[in-house]
Amino acid sequence: MIQDTDMPVKMQMKAMTSASQALDLYDVSDCKSIAAHIKKEFDSIYGSGWQCVVGSNFGCFFTHKHGTFIYFCLETLNFLVFKGASH
């Protein structure tokens, strides 16, 4: 379930697919490995500089490159994926 995004639809689908694959590979409590899986996937497909935060309770404040942000929920976890912006 997507909470907020400015990503193109195809990229949104990739984010959710990558998250689903990561949940198949890692225990739901291993948020660091899940986030690393998604980040590496996005770095390899869309170029380096991606950030990924995964968990059930977190706050954040960041600047992102337009068209590279998604925040969604899958199972019991929240996923934040974005590419950082330089000012």
Side-chain angles (χ1 to χ4, degrees):
M1 181 174 169
I2 296 174
Q3 303 292 321
D4 195 9
T5 187
D6 68 1
M7 274 183 181
V9 173
K10 189 174 179 182
M11 197 181 281
Q12 293 175 34
M13 295 297 112
K14 186 61 187 168
M16 291 184 286
T17 301
S18 294
S20 182
Q21 290 169 344
L23 287 169
D24 287 343
L25 293 170
Y26 303 101
D27 189 89
V28 72
S29 65
D30 191 0
C31 294
K32 187 175 179 181
S33 294
I34 293 167
H37 176 89
I38 297 165
K39 182 214 179 336
K40 289 173 188 172
E41 184 111 343
F42 266 67
D43 279 348
S44 69
I45 295 169
Y46 303 109
S48 63
W50 288 89
Q51 308 298 319
C52 183
V53 181
V54 177
S56 56
N57 185 13
F58 60 84
C60 59
F61 186 83
F62 60 92
T63 303
H64 72 284
K65 185 176 176 185
H66 181 72
T68 67
F69 160 79
I70 189 168
Y71 179 65
F72 63 97
C73 302
L74 191 59
E75 294 185 16
T76 60
L77 296 175
N78 300 315
F79 296 80
L80 172 63
V81 182
F82 65 95
K83 193 168 195 173
S86 55
H87 310 303

